[in-house]
Amino acid sequence: MREPTTCFVAERLNSTTFKIVEEDQYLEYPQVFVKILDETLVIVDTGCGGAAKGPDVALTSLREYLETVPLADNGKELLNPGARLSYTVVCTHCHFDHIGTSLLSIEDGVWGVEQFGDHPKSLICASSYDRSFLSPANLSRNSLCENIGIRTPLYKVSHWLGDGQFLQHNSHSLPLQVFHTPGHTPDELAAWDPDERVLFIGDSFYEWVPIIFPSHGNMIRFSDSIGKMKQLIAGWNADESSSRVKIACGHVTYCADGEAILNDVDEFLWLVVTGAVKPKQSEESRGEIFDLYEGDGGKYSIRCPRRLVVDFRADEEAMTKLKRRNGLIL
Ligand SMILES: [Zn+2]
């Protein structure tokens, strides 16, 4: 039987986890990560939820994809045959290309994250750092759905995750630990898989495409989150009998050496806030100036409201911490 056309492309990331890239009409190409456990399928982000780039794509529901499309990288087996496993969705943050909207799902045409939430035993987890950021009154603005003129997915967070908390399933811990990493958004989080030694960091940063700070971004908190991730990874890498920690991002990057990429991002942030790198482009958007900074060779770039860099420079404590992390003072 011929497989239906689909906007999803899956590839094995490691022994328990698959990376699924969605080819979407907004050209975000979000990376969805699916980890198979005995009792549940953990899904880190749900992408744009099937807003396919191609007009003739037949299969656009991520859930349907997981339950009906055999994967070459999974021995031609389905990831969740017969919906046997429940879903545990972890939202790295609430932007539209991570919480997905989809017109099609297997059962009754529910949308986006909702297509997982309607599984009777499924959980939807998000950071507890700033719950009001995800409130129904604020979600359409903060998800950016309002900006691009799409329907905001309706979903209810079933588990608010505290900093350092392990995901829970039927009152026991799953091998995935969550850390608050605000900056890109207040609700940004990173999820640590200690068995596979991968840290999923959502949109905190990536290579080759701009690291984005929307209007609600915060560069001082971002810098603190980079410092926090560096410390965590240094601790995990101290165990020399295990492999080095890898980082998988919400777009493009999925197998970077954790320590190396964090050092690079930290150094680039320093060049930006000190003015050593000048804006390459500036534009006005929604009443404020956004600057694009690009490092040598284009591997790292930052697009942010000018205000955030001005605020960062004026914050002596933030500047000192960043300088220290870059080894420029003791
Ligand atoms: Zn984002």
Side-chain angles (χ1 to χ4, degrees), residues 248-316:
C249 310
H251 305 264
V252 185
T253 302
Y254 57 89
C255 197
D257 181 84
E259 191 181 332
I261 191 171
L262 278 161
N263 284 339
D264 287 351
V265 170
D266 225 6
E267 191 184 315
F268 186 60
L269 183 63
W270 176 251
L271 298 178
V272 167
V273 299
T274 54
V277 173
K278 303 284 179 230
K280 186 185 168 189
Q281 262 174 38
S282 302
E283 59 182 341
E284 201 180 324
S285 174
R286 281 167 247 124
E288 66 178 334
I289 306 283
F290 281 73
D291 292 318
L292 174 70
Y293 297 87
E294 195 176 280
D296 285 344
K299 190 172 181 185
Y300 298 100
S301 52
I302 287 179
R303 183 180 184 274
C304 62
R306 185 168 293 173
R307 158 179 62 84
L308 297 190
V309 174
V310 172
D311 289 351
F312 198 104
R313 273 185 202 143
D315 190 311
E316 209 174 310

Side-chain angles (χ1 to χ4, degrees), residues 93 95 97-98 184-185 188 203 206:
H93 65 298
H95 281 159
D97 52 328
H98 297 259
H184 174 68
T185 60
E188 182 70 55
D203 274 2
Y206 4 67

Side-chain angles (χ1 to χ4, degrees), residues 70-107:
L71 301 185
D73 270 11
N74 194 35
K76 298 194 178 154
E77 298 289 328
L78 308 177
L79 285 181
N80 195 17
R84 183 176 62 85
L85 298 173
S86 68
Y87 294 102
T88 302
V89 176
V90 181
C91 303
T92 65
H93 65 298
C94 70
H95 281 159
F96 73 96
D97 52 328
H98 297 259
I99 59 173
T101 56
S102 173
L103 283 168
L104 291 171
S105 83
I106 282 180
E107 281 150 25

